[in-house]
């Protein structure tokens, strides 16, 4: 819970509890944690991995988000953590955020209002202050403890008057009252020997009655830290989760896993690296490189051989292939089938682009040089897949930079129209 320096709620002019600015920020934090947690729980991964991912996202928020607007700015990074596209996560949040936020605010105000009405434990600068306030008196001067026949007495040193130790508070108050009523007359200072501390006197006389090991307390264990909590990057690191009864609600993503998100240009770069390893016969280097890739990119690379066989008309036993790959990568079968689906699409686009590249090389030296310069940009346009509207728009924009209309038409026929023709119905 928040301390006094980070107040979560306050009362408005109508006497109702409302969230402070920090409370509003905290409500955004809890809402994102709840919604992201719903998405993570729907993933078909071990529970330990789910908890690790939730902790990773929470830690990232604690370090990188200090304002409500920052949550929206970090949406692409959240999408990457969750293994889904930014647009898909944005749509999910748009559908569920406001409803979830209202639930969180209600819960947060309810939880904090209960805490507000619960008396807070008073803090003391020293443990001795807490003891004195709890007793309501100090040990009366001029008295000491004495034991007689198993009883502890409080003895007035000057008169020898004894009272049971249970009357300590009464004696202390009487002594204080008498001292206040009397008008002290300055007296000549009397030399006294060193006064024995009361605890030392008790231990000296009755030490045999005690047992156990000495209790040694350090200063930092006795004195509570009253310094304000830091408001830096770890502002949310000690914030406890809100606990909701039953289902949190919102869209259930369990019926559909998020799509595999791998840019086409990265896929082509990896295909090029595989060819380099194959040409050099560097099998061990290839294995180390594949193992270093993110798990879904790792699976996509390993599927290329089977996809090549499939493209040649050879029979591929996909159930067994995916089962073996799942054992190596830890991905579920449903997730691997999504990787396979993307791999098939990329394989078709790649074949079409490479075929167009070869045709351009034989068209004319000018066209070949033009395609060589445009090739990296063409691959980045394909990063928009499967949004063919974006692909067409960006390809048109790219080709519009070619001043020669005949060359522009050649590249359109080679790279745009064939790719659009493989759009899935």
């Amino acid at each position: 819970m928040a301390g006094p320096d980070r107040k979560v709620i306050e009362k408005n002019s109508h006497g109702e509890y409302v969230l402070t600015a920090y409370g509003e920020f905290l409500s955004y934090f809890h809402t994102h944690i709840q919604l992201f947690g719903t998405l993570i729980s729907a993933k078909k991964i071990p529970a330990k991995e789910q908890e690790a991912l939730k902790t990773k996202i929470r830690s990232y928020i604690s370090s990188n988000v200090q304002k409500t607007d920052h949550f929206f700015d970090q949406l692409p990074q959240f999408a990457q953590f969750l293994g889904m596209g930014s647009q898909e996560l944005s749509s999910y949040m748009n559908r569920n955020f406001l409803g979830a936020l209202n639930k969180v605010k209600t819960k947060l105000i309810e939880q904090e209002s209960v805490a507000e009405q619960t008396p807070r434990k008073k803090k003391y600068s020293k443990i001795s202050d807490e003891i004195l306030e709890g007793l309501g008196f100090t040990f009366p001067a001029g008295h000491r403890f004495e034991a007689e026949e198993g009883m502890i007495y409080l003895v007035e040193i000057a008169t020898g008057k004894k009272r049971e130790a249970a009357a300590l508070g009464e004696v202390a108050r009487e002594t204080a009252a008498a001292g206040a009523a009397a008008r002290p007359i300055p007296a000549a200072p009397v030399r006294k020997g060193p006064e024995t501390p009361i605890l030392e006197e008790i231990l000296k006389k009755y030490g045999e009655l005690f047992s156990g090991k000495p209790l040694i307390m350090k200063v930092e264990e006795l004195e509570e830290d009253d310094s304000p909590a830091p408001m830096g990057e770890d502002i949310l690191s000690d914030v406890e989760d809100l606990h909701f009864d039953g289902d949190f609600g919102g869209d259930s993503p369990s019926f559909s896993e998020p799509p595999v998100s791998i840019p086409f240009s990265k896929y082509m770069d990896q295909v090029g690296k595989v060819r380099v390893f194959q040409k050099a016969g560097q099998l061990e280097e290839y294995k180390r490189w594949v193992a270093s890739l993110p798990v879904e990119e790792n699976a996509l690379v390993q599927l290329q051989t089977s996809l090549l066989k499939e493209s040649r008309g050879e029979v591929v036993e996909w159930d067994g292939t995916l089962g073996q790959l799942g054992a190596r990568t830890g991905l579920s079968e449903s997730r691997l089938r999504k990787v396979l689906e993307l791999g098939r699409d990329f394989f078709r686009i790649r074949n079409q682009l490479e075929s167009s590249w070869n045709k351009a090389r034989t068209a004319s030296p000018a066209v070949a040089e033009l395609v060589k310069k445009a090739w990296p940009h063409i691959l980045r346009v394909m990063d928009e897949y499967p949004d063919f509207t974006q692909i067409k728009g960006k390809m048109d924009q790219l080709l519009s930079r070619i001043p020669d209309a005949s060359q522009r038409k050649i590249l359109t026929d080679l790279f745009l129209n064939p790719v659009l023709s493989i759009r899935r119905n």
Side-chain angles (χ1 to χ4, degrees):
M1 306 306 296
D5 55 321
R6 288 187 290 176
K7 198 171 181 64
V8 176
I9 60 173
E10 60 188 1
K11 285 189 176 181
N12 62 14
S13 57
H14 302 292
E16 302 168 330
Y17 281 114
V18 294
L19 294 173
T20 63
Y22 174 70
E24 288 284 346
F25 171 69
L26 204 57
S27 68
Y28 271 61
F29 168 74
H30 283 299
T31 302
H32 281 79
I33 291 297
Q34 293 287 348
L35 291 177
F36 292 163
T38 301
L39 289 171
I40 293 170
S41 297
K43 285 178 171 289
K44 295 181 179 179
I45 59 176
K48 186 178 292 185
E49 291 183 24
Q50 290 185 9
E51 291 307 312
L53 182 53
K54 291 176 183 179
T55 301
K56 182 178 181 180
I57 292 178
R58 185 187 179 102
S59 176
Y60 181 85
I61 293 175
S62 298
S63 300
N64 296 277
V65 178
Q66 279 83 43
K67 297 180 180 179
T68 53
D69 291 346
H70 291 175
F71 286 101
F72 302 106
D73 296 338
Q74 296 292 338
L75 198 65
Q77 183 61 53
F78 295 143
Q80 184 175 336
F81 285 142
L82 295 166
M84 58 196 303
S86 298
Q87 188 58 46
E88 185 181 12
L89 179 58
S90 178
S91 298
Y92 172 80
M93 297 299 286
N94 287 340
R95 292 193 304 271
N96 297 286
F97 184 76
L98 288 180
L101 181 64
N102 289 333
K103 288 186 178 182
V104 166
K105 286 184 175 181
T106 300
K107 183 70 175 180
L108 196 56
I109 291 174
E110 173 189 322
Q111 183 171 291
E112 289 293 323
S113 61
V114 171
E116 283 277 326
Q117 296 166 19
T118 302
R120 297 181 181 273
K121 181 182 177 182
K122 183 177 179 180
K123 290 189 175 183
Y124 299 88
S125 60
K126 292 184 296 185
I127 189 68
S128 56
D129 292 342
E130 183 176 3
I131 293 173
L132 289 176
E133 183 166 323
L135 291 173
F137 58 84
T138 57
F139 190 80
H143 290 73
R144 69 182 180 190
F145 286 118
E146 283 188 5
E148 184 177 317
E149 296 181 356
M151 295 289 293
I152 301 295
Y153 292 93
L154 188 66
V155 181
E156 187 176 0
I157 298 173
T159 64
K161 181 180 179 181
K162 295 182 179 180
R163 304 179 72 171
E164 289 187 15
L168 175 59
E170 180 184 342
V171 173
R173 285 186 284 274
E174 289 176 357
T175 303
R183 295 189 176 184
I185 300 175
V190 178
R191 291 184 177 272
K192 293 183 179 180
E195 186 175 347
T196 303
I198 184 64
L199 291 178
E200 185 178 326
E201 184 176 342
I202 292 173
L203 287 172
K204 183 177 180 181
K205 290 187 176 183
Y206 312 110
E208 67 276 4
L209 299 177
F210 298 97
S211 63
K213 298 180 180 179
L215 180 63
I216 302 173
M217 302 289 284
K218 298 179 181 179
V219 173
E220 56 267 26
E221 293 177 294
L222 295 175
E223 298 184 1
E224 295 189 45
D225 182 11
D226 291 326
S227 58
M231 294 287 286
E233 292 184 349
D234 60 344
I235 185 173
L236 296 170
S237 61
D238 61 348
V239 173
E240 298 175 1
D241 287 334
L242 293 176
H243 299 290
F244 292 86
D245 295 328
D247 185 19
F248 183 73
D251 290 353
S252 174
S254 58
F255 64 89
S256 177
E257 284 187 311
V260 177
S261 180
I262 301 173
F264 180 78
S265 58
K266 179 177 284 190
Y267 159 79
M268 288 295 289
D269 180 58
Q270 291 168 352
V271 168
K273 286 184 178 180
V274 171
R275 288 171 175 167
V276 170
F277 286 124
Q278 287 176 335
K279 187 175 181 179
Q282 297 174 322
L283 180 59
E284 293 304 317
E285 289 82 352
Y286 164 77
K287 289 180 179 179
R288 285 195 293 270
W289 170 72
V290 172
S292 70
L293 295 174
V295 64
E296 290 181 349
E297 294 177 27
N298 176 316
L300 183 60
V301 169
Q302 294 191 61
L303 285 171
Q304 295 309 302
T305 301
S306 297
L307 286 170
L308 180 59
K309 289 180 180 180
E310 184 180 63
S311 71
R312 293 171 179 168
E314 299 179 30
V315 176
V316 179
E317 206 284 290
W318 284 114
D319 289 342
T321 300
L322 296 179
Q324 293 174 4
L325 189 55
R328 291 196 297 269
T329 62
L331 288 172
S332 65
E333 182 182 347
S334 63
R335 197 65 184 163
L336 281 172
R337 290 196 178 277
K338 284 190 174 293
V339 176
L340 174 60
E341 182 182 349
L342 182 66
R344 282 196 176 112
D345 293 343
F346 278 1
F347 193 88
R348 295 164 64 200
I349 295 172
R350 184 187 105 200
N351 284 344
Q352 182 59 62
L353 291 178
E354 289 180 346
S355 174
S356 297
W357 166 271
N358 291 329
K359 290 177 182 178
R361 291 174 61 188
T362 61
S364 71
V367 171
E369 185 62 26
L370 187 60
V371 171
K372 185 178 180 180
K373 292 179 180 179
W375 184 250
H377 303 286
I378 292 172
L379 296 184
R380 282 195 290 274
V381 168
M382 296 303 157
D383 285 347
E384 297 298 331
Y385 178 86
D387 190 336
F388 283 92
T389 301
Q390 285 286 341
I391 289 176
K392 184 179 186 309
K394 289 195 174 184
M395 188 68 83
D396 285 339
Q397 186 179 7
L398 175 63
L399 298 178
S400 69
R401 300 177 188 174
I402 303 173
D404 189 304
S406 61
Q407 292 180 343
R408 187 163 60 247
K409 185 178 186 307
I410 291 173
L411 264 68
T412 300
D413 291 340
L414 285 174
F415 293 102
L416 178 57
N417 294 337
V419 169
L420 294 179
S421 70
I422 66 173
R423 183 194 322 224
R424 289 176 296 172
N425 296 324

